[in-house]
Amino acid sequence: MAGPRAASARRSGPLLAACSATVGALLLPFMVASAPTAAAAPRCDSTEDCLAQMTLEEKAGQMTQVNHTNVMDDKEAIAEYGLGSLLSGGGAGPGGEAGGTATEWADMYDEYQRTALQSRLGIPLIYGVDAVHGHSNVVGATVFPHNIGMGATRNSKLVRRAQDITRQEVLGTGIDWNFAPAVSVPRDDRWGRTYEGFGEVPRLASKMGYASIKGSQGHDLDSESVAATAKHYVADGGTTWGTGEDDYLIDQGDARMSEHELRKIHLPPYRAAVRADAASVMISFSSWNGLKMHQHEYLVDDVLKGELGFDGVVISDWAGVRQVEGDSYADKLRKSINAGLDMIMVPDDYEQNIEAIVSEVRAGRISEERIDDAVRRILDLKFDQELFDKPFTDRSYTDDIGSPEHREVAREAVAQSQVLLKNDGVLPLSPDSGKDIVVGGKTADNLGYQMGGWSISWQGSGGDTTEGTTFWEAVQQETEGTDTDVEFVGTDTGQDFSGDVGIWVGGETPYAEGFGDDGDLQLSEDDTKQLDDICAKTDVCVAMLVSGRPLIINEELKTADAFVASWLPGTEGAGMTDVVFGHERFTGRLPVTWPSSVDQEPINRGDGQKPLFRMGYGLRN
Ligand code: GLC
């Protein structure tokens, strides 16, 4: 059982605060209506002091998180309703568009914060974002390999360093809450969120999740921390194929398993997250044996908060409350809050959310104690992060976003994430061997493909969407000034060309969440043809698979002389050439079992099936 997170000195306020509640409630109708433009300074100085002064409406406001696009044209609503939190959902940059520079993000954050401080009690916002592999919404930020690649490194110290850099880059935009790490344990590679997990066994998710949380928050929460979020509670990676929500095939589906299996496979990463003092836990869209997690009182209140002792903030997923059974929004919301959810990512109709909380409390269907517990957790987090004293962006971090030093660490992570599956004496190449190298494939010179989903936009996209180095650019840098000729054929591999060494880079195009659910796990025909062409027209050939998960590569593995699983490397493609050209040794090991057929899915270590490659496999050179 974890002890309480290091309490900030300002969580419990003066006894006098208790008597101010009555005064506040009597004056409220006049005060909120005229939302004074009072000095932008908080008017309560501890959790208990704020709670004692807050009206029920204000408490409901604190529990309400809104996607910023819903208030960017009506910022006054933030103060009028006392909203507790805003977020940028995937791709919701400044102005509501994907992208934006760090300064534009910081200016956006500060403007929202200034407005929040105009509320009656001047309680600052806490602002959430999905910086799931670096601050990947922001143009120019350092984008690390997605978690599956970080899992392949088996290097938790590197995960912590990477997350510490992400922390700095997130702080440089003012933001103070990261909806990461996913501590999912993906058990079926057909799931579109497989790449968001560190691997198929709880030990990897626990070890890397712990490191990530510490990297983001530091030893104790303070103004230098970014609050971490262990997600998605619980067994989001254990859902059954064909049970997906709406049009999804498995995402947000039903985890059909015994409690023993749930506790053995999917719960341990949350024990680790509590040990790491995770500031928040996000509830999964999925269900356990038919009951939605967003209404699961036993697993959320009894197990997470009670048995595991989690004392941070439990937040819903995006409109997750709406998936709960119920006759009305208020009915659904009541079930979620009574199950133990503290912050509701609405993320749009904040008035409906606030009104529903107030009406359910007034009807006696949600207790005031439950509301106070939720608001207390939220305010404790804001005081722990010193948001009342330092609500605005620390611009000393902004200039270092995407710095060479940060990118160097990402490059190191890329190199350590590469898993060598086959090598018939080809790798490493020598940069000055004098051999002619031909590079092709759809991903060889495509930064967007190299990053995958959750990159600038929610789903990700091809092309130069941010600053980074593609594999082809890295090959050119590597061989510049040597007598090695390099030629780029891209996807036009039907043309005449020849070479001593061919390198194909291909695989998956970007996707996120259920849009990545895939029942085939096949390479495209174009990919296979391009690989075949390159290997037919060069003396030896190397295949670099850029994907968020294992794909069925039996034939391609025979065609290529060397085969590398590159995962989704991010902006630093030079990490790939570092191992291809021998500056770093291949040390990566599979974080998941690699199937020989999609019919084997779900396939995991110890299930008795014979895979193409076992989890943990990886050649060294
Ligand atoms: C999404 C995801 C979750 C993310 C949230 C906010 O639907 O499920 O991982 O943190 O919404 O973007």
Side-chain angles (χ1 to χ4, degrees):
M1 175 82 76
R5 286 182 296 117
S8 73
R10 296 177 59 187
R11 287 184 168 191
S12 52
L15 290 176
L16 289 180
C19 67
S20 59
T22 313
V23 172
L26 290 173
L27 291 175
L28 176 68
F30 307 99
M31 296 176 79
V32 170
S34 56
T37 52
R43 281 168 290 290
C44 54
D45 59 14
S46 73
T47 292
E48 297 312 322
D49 180 30
C50 295
L51 260 178
Q53 295 186 58
M54 290 169 84
T55 64
L56 177 57
E57 287 78 3
E58 289 170 326
K59 293 175 182 177
Q62 271 308 300
M63 297 171 65
T64 301
Q65 183 183 68
V66 178
N67 196 42
H68 88 89
T69 56
N70 294 289
V71 290
M72 66 185 187
D73 298 326
D74 178 18
K75 294 184 181 63
E76 295 66 36
I78 300 168
E80 186 184 345
Y81 290 90
L83 297 181
S85 179
L86 298 180
L87 82 146
S88 280
E97 301 300 319
T101 65
T103 298
E104 288 166 343
W105 278 79
D107 292 345
M108 169 185 75
Y109 173 90
D110 285 349
E111 191 177 351
Y112 284 135
Q113 195 64 285
R114 262 193 294 279
T115 309
L117 295 177
Q118 299 296 330
S119 64
R120 186 176 76 88
L121 291 173
I123 296 173
L125 286 170
I126 184 166
Y127 197 111
V129 76
D130 295 279
V132 294
H133 60 141
H135 200 0
S136 51
N137 282 287
V138 177
V139 172
T142 307
V143 180
F144 288 88
H146 268 293
N147 283 351
I148 194 167
M150 299 308 281
T153 71
R154 298 299 198 280
N155 187 341
S156 58
K157 289 185 175 59
L158 182 57
V159 167
R160 183 164 181 165
R161 284 169 62 206
Q163 207 57 26
D164 178 53
I165 285 168
T166 301
R167 171 189 70 86
Q168 296 172 57
E169 299 201 2
V170 169
L171 286 176
T173 61
I175 293 172
D176 20 58
W177 191 1
N178 188 356
F179 301 134
V183 292
S184 319
V185 184
R187 303 289 283 176
D188 188 324
D189 304 312
R190 294 173 292 186
W191 184 39
R193 306 196 76 165
T194 295
Y195 68 76
E196 295 189 60
F198 289 104
E200 70 182 30
V201 295
R203 180 176 47 78
L204 255 184
S206 301
K207 182 180 176 186
M208 300 310 194
Y210 182 96
S212 177
I213 292 163
K214 283 300 184 187
S216 186
Q217 297 183 177
H219 187 264
D220 282 325
L221 278 173
D222 59 24
S223 61
E224 304 296 302
S225 304
V226 170
T229 309
K231 71 181 187 182
H232 312 78
Y233 186 82
V234 65
D236 57 339
T239 54
T240 304
W241 183 257
T243 66
E245 182 74 22
D246 291 339
D247 300 334
Y248 293 154
L249 296 167
I250 185 171
D251 189 34
Q252 304 186 16
D254 191 14
R256 293 173 179 167
M257 62 183 73
S258 67
E259 181 161 355
H260 171 73
E261 183 179 351
L262 183 136
R263 284 178 171 272
K264 180 181 166 211
I265 302 294
H266 300 283
L267 195 60
Y270 291 91
R271 294 186 187 281
V274 170
R275 276 200 315 277
D277 280 343
S280 61
V281 167
M282 184 181 291
I283 300 302
S284 177
F285 285 118
S286 57
S287 305
W288 177 44
N289 295 338
L291 184 60
K292 279 286 180 184
M293 284 307 307
H294 274 75
Q295 62 185 103
H296 214 295
E297 188 166 351
Y298 170 63
L299 287 177
V300 178
D301 201 36
D302 298 351
V303 174
L304 177 64
K305 289 187 170 181
E307 181 184 327
L308 272 56
F310 177 65
D311 65 355
V313 175
V314 174
I315 182 170
S316 80
D317 203 335
W318 182 281
V321 164
R322 295 203 180 107
Q323 292 186 17
V324 166
E325 306 154 351
D327 302 328
S328 67
Y329 182 75
D331 189 23
K332 296 163 185 255
L333 183 60
R334 181 189 72 251
K335 291 174 183 174
S336 286
I337 292 175
N338 284 342
L341 277 75
D342 304 309
M343 172 76 83
I344 307 301
M345 187 189 296
V346 184
D348 43 20
D349 192 343
Y350 49 87
E351 290 169 297
Q352 180 190 41
N353 196 67
I354 291 168
E355 285 162 12
I357 293 174
V358 170
S359 65
E360 288 300 305
V361 171
R362 292 227 165 103
R365 292 188 288 264
I366 300 178
S367 72
E368 296 231 23
E369 291 70 28
R370 175 72 275 270
I371 296 300
D372 286 352
D373 171 53
V375 177
R376 185 170 285 115
R377 289 167 181 258
I378 293 164
L379 292 176
D380 280 352
L381 177 54
K382 293 182 175 183
F383 277 109
D384 285 349
Q385 286 190 272
E386 302 176 82
L387 290 174
F388 283 76
D389 299 324
K390 305 170 187 174
F392 299 113
T393 305
D394 178 347
R395 301 277 174 151
S396 68
Y397 287 107
T398 312
D399 292 342
D400 288 340
I401 291 175
S403 69
E405 294 74 20
H406 291 180
R407 291 178 187 274
E408 199 50 39
V409 177
R411 177 173 176 169
E412 187 182 335
V414 173
Q416 292 190 30
S417 68
Q418 303 297 293
V419 180
L420 186 56
L421 299 177
K422 177 182 180 182
N423 188 21
D424 286 353
V426 180
L427 295 177
L429 304 177
S430 164
D432 54 6
S433 62
K435 293 191 174 187
D436 298 342
I437 299 175
V438 177
V439 175
K442 70 172 182 248
T443 310
D445 192 30
N446 193 316
L447 194 62
Y449 288 1
Q450 198 171 286
M451 294 189 292
W454 296 102
S455 303
I456 306 302
S457 68
W458 174 39
Q459 293 291 314
S461 63
D464 287 336
T465 53
T466 187
E467 297 151 28
T469 306
T470 65
F471 176 78
W472 166 237
E473 289 165 343
V475 168
Q476 290 173 290
Q477 291 165 9
E478 180 65 46
T479 55
E480 194 173 351
T482 71
D483 55 5
T484 295
D485 288 332
V486 290
E487 179 187 357
F488 182 73
V489 295
T491 55
D492 183 14
T493 56
Q495 65 181 289
D496 284 340
F497 63 88
S498 63
D500 301 307
V501 181
I503 305 178
W504 168 85
V505 189
E508 292 190 304
T509 53
Y511 55 81
E513 301 194 39
F515 291 97
D517 289 353
D518 178 354
D520 302 318
L521 300 184
Q522 297 290 333
L523 277 170
S524 69
E525 287 179 15
D526 286 349
D527 265 343
T528 301
K529 180 178 183 315
Q530 288 156 26
L531 172 58
D532 289 347
D533 286 348
I534 290 171
C535 291
K537 298 175 182 178
T538 56
D539 297 348
V540 294
C541 66
V542 180
M544 313 279 293
L545 180 67
V546 174
S547 66
R549 57 194 155 189
L551 299 180
I552 307 309
I553 56 168
N554 306 7
E555 294 310 311
E556 293 77 9
L557 197 62
K558 294 173 191 164
T559 304
D561 301 293
F563 205 107
V564 180
S566 293
W567 313 113
L568 298 170
T571 51
E572 306 313 308
M576 299 163 77
T577 51
D578 281 343
V579 286
V580 167
F581 287 94
H583 300 301
E584 302 292 344
R585 301 165 65 88
F586 279 96
T587 57
R589 292 189 290 127
L590 290 181
V592 292
T593 303
W594 200 291
S596 60
S597 160
V598 72
D599 298 335
Q600 290 187 308
E601 292 291 353
I603 182 170
N604 295 288
R605 185 175 65 179
D607 69 4
Q609 299 189 82
K610 185 177 179 346
L612 186 64
F613 296 107
R614 62 175 172 72
M615 177 194 155
Y617 182 86
L619 297 176
R620 306 229 165 176
N621 63 336

